[in-house]
Amino acid sequence: MHMEERRVPMMEPFRIRAVEPIPILTRAERRAALEAAGYNVFNLRSADVTIDLLSDSGTGATSIQQEAAAMVADEAYAGSRSWYRFVEEIEDLTGYPHILPVHQGRAGERILDAALLGPGKISISNTHFDTTAANVMLTGAEARNLPCPEAADLDSDQPFKGNIDLDALARTLSGPDGSRVALVLMTITNNGGGGQPVSMANMEAAKELCARHGIPFILDAARFGENAWLVKQREPGYERFTPREIARRAFDLADGTVVSLKKDGAGWGGGFIGLRDDALATQCEANLIATEGFSTYGGMTGHDLSRLAEGVREMVDPFYLAYRADAADHLATRVREAGVDTVRPSGLHGIYLNAGRLLSHLPPQRFPGHTLACQLYLDGGVRCSELGSLYLGELNDRNEVVTPAPYELVRLALPRRVYTQSHLEYVADVLAGIAAKPESLEGYRITHAPPVLRHFKVRLAPYGAA
Ligand code: F0G
């Protein structure tokens, strides 16, 4: 395809036709906004955020093709043209005979988990995403993560640190808990594990183990295009395949998938469950109709379906993916030059900062990751989220951390096609300012913590404050 001849490194492969002004606040305004938010960035108004790197989910820019498709969408209750456009595209991408539309990924998880899991059962994953684990637990089942040992070394450049630990998986399946395992869920790319990819070889081996034990092997394929891109770059034998072909191979390996289309669907909402098994699909469809919507829209509008049918094609375009990889690499390089280590090698959907190392004077009890995230907001209006002891640590009844998370990370998630290189330069500059005097930061303490999915609704105060 002569890709190298056509590619211009470090240049956005699109021009901008509709723009949205960016809010720029004074330091005093940001301080007041963060205080009013209980020092939890999830409580900030987006009107108070200059660069929003909280999530790459449902935050992308659409294309003129997507908007044109949306304009001629069909909003019929059942069997709309938009549905047929969507389902034909998704069938062609994935090969699954049963496609059940849902309004976003976690709705698909809830429906699939209700069919497969329940009290006493176990879901195994390379790493469950936070809401994914919560959906498993809501059925009464256990969510067990088995990341590969290489994932523990944040600094190594091993290519597939998103893999599942195959030895641990084999041991679990043939051990005393084996009969309770009802699902193996492979998250591609591994969002909870630093946005690292999973190799095709790892998926094949995990699938084989599952088949031997009669356990469904399901992909959480929210970032199917990005995983495929990293396989193409890093796994011998895949260089000549297109990202779409590689994604298809992954779907071919699995018994089914749950996909949030808010990522590699370039949608503001949407998702689907893909299944091969007729009986399981029928069971899920009944739940879908009762809770999401009829099986030809599942909580999505016709214009969502039409936009997504275009979006899934655009998100596996090699020129787009090459640009996205360049942008992530460039930000990671700038950040490291500023003296802040990142989880290596960099993935595509976000840069994970090693806040524990930068703020090594702060113990986990003062939430170094959260402290860094708050400072990025206070100094530059940059919003991002902590993945450390605030999110994963165990607390006592006074809301103090008793068992810290293994790492204190901060994720700078990259919305698709939204921020230009100069925006990312700005983020790196703000971070460099913090990295120049990290000792001045004192940390935070929790004032209120909800029992589940704590990080979304927790409230805090600066450590020294009354
Ligand atoms: N699986 C993965 C790997 C995810 O990253 C997400 C969402 C979901 C499932 C749930 O999908 O949001 O459509 O219900 N991740 C977002 C994030 C929220 O910021 O990483 P959803």
Side-chain angles (χ1 to χ4, degrees):
M1 115 182 78
H2 306 300
M3 184 166 169
E4 285 313 315
E5 276 176 53
R6 289 177 196 274
R7 188 162 112 74
V8 183
M10 296 305 303
M11 185 174 89
E12 288 84 2
F14 48 81
R15 56 189 168 201
I16 298 163
R17 251 178 132 178
V19 297
E20 182 181 355
I22 280 182
I24 299 184
L25 283 72
T26 64
R27 176 174 283 275
E29 286 167 339
R30 289 195 294 263
R31 184 158 288 288
L34 192 61
E35 188 183 345
Y39 295 92
N40 180 344
V41 294
F42 284 96
N43 291 334
L44 287 170
R45 294 168 183 243
S46 71
D48 292 336
V49 175
T50 302
I51 304 281
D52 204 345
L53 306 185
L54 187 61
S55 180
D56 66 317
S57 179
T59 54
T62 55
S63 66
I64 55 173
Q65 289 85 353
Q66 285 181 288
E67 291 312 309
M71 188 62 86
V72 293
D74 177 0
E75 304 293 348
Y77 186 89
S80 74
R81 278 194 322 275
S82 297
W83 162 251
Y84 283 104
R85 185 93 215 268
F86 173 87
V87 76
E88 281 160 20
E89 192 62 47
I90 299 293
E91 277 169 2
D92 188 60
L93 174 74
T94 65
Y96 296 119
H98 302 288
I99 303 295
L100 303 175
V102 291
H103 82 276
Q104 67 180 87
R106 68 197 69 177
E109 293 160 9
R110 176 179 56 75
I111 289 169
L112 190 67
D113 290 352
L116 292 176
L117 299 173
K121 300 271 174 61
I122 301 172
S123 168
I124 294 187
S125 178
N126 47 345
T127 308
H128 294 86
F129 177 65
D130 56 12
T131 56
T132 314
N135 272 301
V136 169
M137 291 187 271
L138 283 173
T139 73
E142 175 192 339
R144 197 177 290 183
N145 293 334
L146 298 179
C148 66
E150 294 82 6
D153 182 354
L154 305 184
D155 301 312
S156 81
D157 273 320
Q158 307 235 14
F160 290 107
K161 286 155 77 171
N163 283 351
I164 200 164
D165 183 338
L166 292 169
D167 291 340
L169 178 61
R171 274 200 307 277
T172 309
L173 295 182
S174 51
D177 285 345
S179 59
R180 296 200 289 129
V181 178
L183 168 64
V184 172
L185 186 75
M186 189 72 101
T187 311
I188 63 169
T189 56
N190 191 346
N191 185 15
Q196 299 291 313
V198 177
S199 71
M200 298 303 295
N202 189 258
M203 280 187 241
E204 279 162 22
K207 160 67 190 176
E208 207 180 294
L209 281 168
C210 289
R212 209 179 303 155
H213 290 85
I215 294 164
F217 177 67
I218 304 287
L219 298 181
D220 174 352
R223 298 178 181 84
F224 61 88
E226 299 183 352
N227 201 78
W229 179 255
L230 294 168
V231 164
K232 182 176 167 66
Q233 306 305 309
R234 299 181 187 174
E235 190 163 355
Y238 287 94
E239 304 84 352
R240 306 186 74 79
F241 291 97
T242 65
R244 190 181 173 96
E245 287 164 345
I246 296 170
R248 176 57 187 265
R249 279 190 171 220
F251 287 123
D252 280 349
L253 273 172
D255 299 304
T257 190
V258 185
V259 178
S260 163
L261 289 170
K262 298 174 74 172
K263 287 82 169 170
D264 284 350
W268 295 312
F272 67 94
I273 307 171
L275 292 171
R276 295 190 201 288
D277 186 89
D278 297 340
L280 180 59
T282 305
Q283 192 183 348
C284 289
E285 189 178 45
N287 189 343
L288 174 83
I289 297 172
T291 62
E292 279 286 288
F294 187 59
S295 43
T296 64
Y297 73 91
M300 286 184 276
T301 62
H303 55 96
D304 284 333
L305 290 163
S306 293
R307 278 197 193 89
L308 290 167
E310 289 290 329
V312 291
R313 269 187 182 271
E314 294 173 9
M315 294 296 101
V316 290
D317 175 73
F319 292 95
Y320 158 75
L321 283 165
Y323 136 76
R324 186 150 169 82
D326 277 355
D329 268 347
H330 180 70
L331 178 60
T333 305
R334 284 291 323 275
V335 163
R336 288 198 289 261
E337 281 167 3
V340 183
D341 287 333
T342 66
V343 175
R344 298 182 70 114
S346 31
L348 266 64
H349 85 282
I351 300 299
Y352 293 64
L353 311 175
N354 191 338
R357 193 173 290 161
L358 180 71
L359 305 183
S360 56
H361 63 290
L362 294 181
Q365 287 72 17
R366 292 204 209 171
F367 306 112
H370 184 71
T371 304
L372 180 58
C374 285
Q375 207 58 36
L376 276 159
Y377 178 71
L378 290 170
D379 287 358
V382 178
R383 174 157 73 167
C384 54
S385 62
E386 188 249 25
L387 287 171
S389 292
L390 187 64
Y391 163 43
L392 280 177
E394 227 173 89
L395 305 184
N396 63 17
D397 52 12
R398 291 191 306 280
N399 288 330
E400 296 156 343
V401 174
V402 284
T403 313
Y407 314 102
E408 305 294 341
L409 303 178
V410 168
R411 184 184 74 170
L412 304 179
L414 301 172
R416 289 165 182 75
R417 307 189 287 204
V418 168
Y419 292 117
T420 63
Q421 258 190 67
S422 63
H423 293 124
L424 300 184
E425 298 290 345
Y426 169 80
V427 172
D429 289 345
V430 175
L431 200 49
I434 298 171
K437 44 173 180 38
E439 322 74 42
S440 60
L441 303 183
E442 293 180 296
Y444 289 84
R445 63 182 170 81
I446 292 177
T447 57
H448 163 77
V452 281
L453 292 171
R454 179 199 308 146
H455 49 300
F456 290 117
K457 302 304 291 182
V458 65
R459 294 183 80 84
L460 303 97
Y463 183 72

